[in-house]
Amino acid sequence: MSVNTPTAEMAGASPQRQRAKQGVPWGRIAAWTAMGVLLVLTLFPFFWMLRTALSTNADLVSGNQSLRPPGATLLNVKQVLGLASQEEITKAGTATSANINFFVALRNSVIVCTLITLGQVIFCSMAAYAFARLRFPGRDKLFFAYLTALMIPPIFTLIPNFVLIKNLG
């Protein structure tokens, strides 16, 4: 419906505009494609973890790397949760890992991760406040040393810690 009457134009109504035809939005298509590829790359390790959990030990040892496990089974999940019977475990050949206490390990992991996260947030907040608000001698050199330490890859600090713990027994 077109509004071209003199009364409508005088009242401030503009004539309807035609939308300009645009070409194919290649930039938007490329952005969505890149996000899709990144999504697949991000989620693939979780898919592989699930695939491995549903595989039998024989399938894992055989080296079959198909995306679908050939002999999918829930025995591994049942064993970890403590729901598998001893004869199922023996029949599958995984008797060496029969007494897994999953929920105790999960509880310990949650406690350790929570304490580490809380400690990091508290102490890093205090350090950030000190560097941002307080002026003290050597502040810039200390901040430079802190930033330099952040640039060291964690594997370089992990090896000496491993050797130390090993030597401590």
Side-chain angles (χ1 to χ4, degrees):
M1 175 170 129
S2 177
V3 183
N4 288 333
T5 61
T7 311
E9 289 175 11
M10 290 173 61
S14 61
Q16 286 186 340
R17 291 188 280 166
Q18 294 290 329
R19 188 172 193 160
K21 294 210 175 206
Q22 296 177 347
V24 178
W26 292 110
R28 186 173 288 225
I29 292 172
W32 278 101
T33 304
M35 284 195 302
V37 168
L38 286 174
L39 179 69
V40 168
L41 287 174
T42 302
L43 294 179
F44 187 75
F46 296 103
F47 164 74
W48 198 258
M49 176 184 63
L50 185 63
R51 180 221 178 266
T52 304
L54 296 176
S55 298
T56 62
N57 287 350
D59 291 335
L60 293 175
V61 174
S62 71
N64 184 359
Q65 301 300 321
S66 66
L67 291 177
R68 199 175 131 265
T73 179
L74 288 175
L75 179 63
N76 295 333
V77 177
K78 286 172 54 177
Q79 184 177 353
V80 166
L81 296 176
L83 302 174
S85 67
Q86 188 62 39
E87 60 188 47
E88 283 179 315
I89 294 171
T90 306
K91 183 180 174 186
T94 58
T96 57
S97 57
N99 357 348
I100 297 172
N101 202 340
F102 175 73
F103 293 106
V104 170
L106 179 66
R107 182 197 67 208
N108 292 344
S109 297
V110 167
I111 290 171
V112 168
C113 291
T114 302
L115 291 175
I116 288 174
T117 302
L118 286 174
Q120 285 287 333
V121 168
I122 291 168
F123 288 111
C124 290
S125 298
M126 291 191 299
Y129 182 82
F131 281 128
R133 298 289 180 184
L134 305 177
R135 304 284 179 224
F136 53 88
R139 173 180 158 263
D140 293 338
K141 291 179 183 173
L142 188 62
F143 188 65
F144 178 75
Y146 172 72
L147 289 180
T148 305
L150 286 178
M151 294 180 202
I152 298 173
I155 191 68
F156 291 136
T157 60
L158 183 70
I159 293 170
N161 285 336
F162 173 77
V163 171
L164 176 68
I165 297 298
K166 182 181 173 207
N167 290 341
L168 290 175

